[in-house]
Amino acid sequence: DLSDELIEEIAANKAVCRHFHLPVQSGSNRILEQMNRRYTREAYLEKVRKIRSAIPDIGLTTDIIVAFPGETEEDFEDTMQLTDEVGYDSAFTFIYSPREGTKAALMPDRIPDDIASERIQRLIKLQEEKTEQLFKSLVGTRDSVLITGNSKRDDHMFTGKSGRNISVNFENTEYAIGDIVPVRFTSYGKTTLRGEIIKE
């Protein structure tokens, strides 16, 4: 569904945040076909190339399903390689679970729970490494942050979303929820950036 026209609009329209959720589900063409997805790994990667070419600092997130019926170790490695190549900001990862009334629920070759669990742990570890690499590269840079509320862990801190949809925590004494403020990123945690408001 990601057309060239939409990519052009995201790149040109300053009201659109630099974030795009582009679900891939699997990096294996064989599994994508089994899932009845109407795209290939190659077509997906071409979409990524186009959007990154138009918007170099775009934040990309995705959905990935592990242990779809019949998924081999080679199929899973295809997913791992694609995840590594794309370098997502973050990924929503799921172990396949059957849904009544779907074709997949009747498929043979269900993946044993221990293998499914081991695979998703490997995928999560890889994605955590990619997220950490990204966060490390962002320390020292700045972005506009939309204040969304108080930090859940510290009443003296506010939380917000950066232009590429990353959660940011920072001290705040003069702004309100809904304000957009310039923030310099100073450090990071596992899933969030930490920063300080830039006084201009």
Side-chain angles (χ1 to χ4, degrees):
D1 292 334
L2 179 57
S3 66
D4 291 350
E5 292 76 15
L6 181 54
I7 291 173
E8 290 171 10
E9 184 62 27
I10 294 172
N13 193 328
K14 298 302 180 186
V16 179
C17 288
R18 302 178 321 282
H19 168 256
F20 204 87
H21 188 71
L22 197 61
V24 67
Q25 310 301 353
S26 172
S28 163
N29 281 334
R30 192 181 72 82
I31 295 298
L32 288 172
E33 186 176 2
Q34 291 292 310
M35 289 177 169
N36 200 28
R37 305 285 168 179
R38 295 188 176 92
Y39 56 87
T40 63
R41 170 196 183 94
E42 293 75 21
Y44 181 91
L45 288 172
E46 177 61 14
K47 295 285 188 186
V48 170
R49 187 198 65 76
K50 282 183 176 180
I51 198 166
R52 284 239 168 97
S53 177
I55 315 152
D57 62 343
I58 190 81
L60 290 179
T61 54
T62 197
D63 297 331
I64 300 174
I65 296 172
V66 167
F68 192 80
E71 180 187 71
T72 64
E73 182 62 24
E74 184 179 358
D75 292 323
F76 176 68
E77 282 300 329
D78 284 345
T79 297
M80 291 284 283
Q81 289 167 10
L82 183 140
T83 301
D84 186 50
E85 181 177 346
V86 174
Y88 298 105
D89 287 23
S90 62
F92 297 93
T93 56
F94 309 91
I95 292 176
Y96 167 80
S97 58
R99 291 188 182 177
E100 192 176 344
T102 64
K103 226 172 162 183
L106 303 176
M107 287 180 176
D109 301 323
R110 293 282 297 280
I111 307 302
D113 290 347
D114 59 334
I115 294 177
S117 178
E118 187 269 340
R119 285 179 182 171
I120 201 165
Q121 289 307 315
R122 281 161 58 196
L123 179 61
I124 289 169
K125 183 175 183 292
L126 172 61
Q127 181 54 55
E128 285 177 345
E129 290 169 357
K130 304 305 281 190
T131 300
E132 183 179 15
Q133 288 172 14
L134 169 67
F135 284 3
K136 191 173 183 179
S137 74
L138 292 174
V139 170
T141 67
R142 57 176 285 173
D143 199 356
S144 297
V145 173
L146 170 67
I147 300 175
T148 57
N150 289 96
S151 170
K152 292 177 182 175
R153 295 185 179 178
D154 188 340
D155 289 340
H156 301 291
M157 301 284 282
F158 267 33
T159 189
K161 290 288 188 177
S162 73
R164 60 191 290 167
N165 200 35
I166 297 172
S167 293
V168 186
N169 293 320
F170 50 93
E171 285 188 13
N172 172 46
T173 55
E174 56 190 288
Y175 295 99
I177 292 171
D179 287 343
I180 297 174
V181 296
V183 172
R184 180 180 292 107
F185 306 129
T186 56
S187 62
Y188 58 89
K190 200 169 185 180
T191 59
T192 60
L193 289 167
R194 301 186 190 100
E196 57 187 14
I197 294 176
I198 300 169
K199 305 294 184 182
E200 295 182 318

